[in-house]
Amino acid sequence: MSVSLPGDSYNYGVLDMSTEVSRFFRLPDGQPFLVFAELGAQYEFERPNDGKILTGDLSEVSPSPWAFSLRSGLRMLLNENLQIEATGGYLSLGQDDLDVWEGKLHVSWSF
């Protein structure tokens, strides 16, 4: 005996684009660092359920397939093999009643 259950299948497609502008500075002791700003756009060209989602009161809404982001931060090479990057950003420009923030600290050790 075998039981067949229909499977659920969903497709999701997204196009993510961004551009960064940066400027190189030096601290008074000569330590170099890079300050940057990034502007991004995200387009969800294929979404499950035509993009409809449930809200907290269980009503359906369809948010925009477009979202824009703004990030800024700095990168610094502390010595020959240690780099840090600190970034903060707002990722939900263009989405009504949604606030998505991001904070990131990235430490890279070369060996």
Side-chain angles (χ1 to χ4, degrees):
M1 174 200 240
S2 69
V3 177
S4 296
L5 298 174
D8 288 331
S9 176
Y10 300 100
N11 294 323
Y12 179 71
V14 63
L15 178 62
D16 200 355
M17 304 159 282
S18 66
T19 188
E20 179 183 295
V21 293
S22 60
R23 180 151 183 183
F24 179 76
F25 293 97
R26 286 193 182 272
L27 295 174
D29 67 355
Q31 177 73 34
F33 68 98
L34 185 79
V35 176
F36 66 91
E38 176 187 290
L39 180 61
Q42 183 178 21
Y43 176 64
E44 297 173 330
F45 58 87
E46 189 165 353
R47 302 185 290 176
N49 199 32
D50 293 325
K52 293 181 180 130
I53 60 172
L54 287 177
T55 65
D57 65 0
L58 299 180
S59 62
E60 275 191 342
V61 296
S62 185
S64 172
W66 285 96
F68 301 92
S69 62
L70 181 61
R71 292 181 176 96
S72 65
L74 67 91
R75 295 182 189 104
M76 182 181 281
L77 188 61
L78 295 178
N79 59 37
E80 287 183 9
N81 56 352
L82 180 61
Q83 176 183 317
I84 62 167
E85 178 178 323
T87 307
Y90 185 71
L91 310 183
S92 54
L93 292 168
Q95 293 288 342
D96 294 334
D97 299 323
L98 179 65
D99 290 315
V100 179
W101 293 89
E102 172 186 76
K104 181 170 49 170
L105 178 62
H106 181 88
V107 178
S108 177
W109 180 267
S110 167
F111 57 93

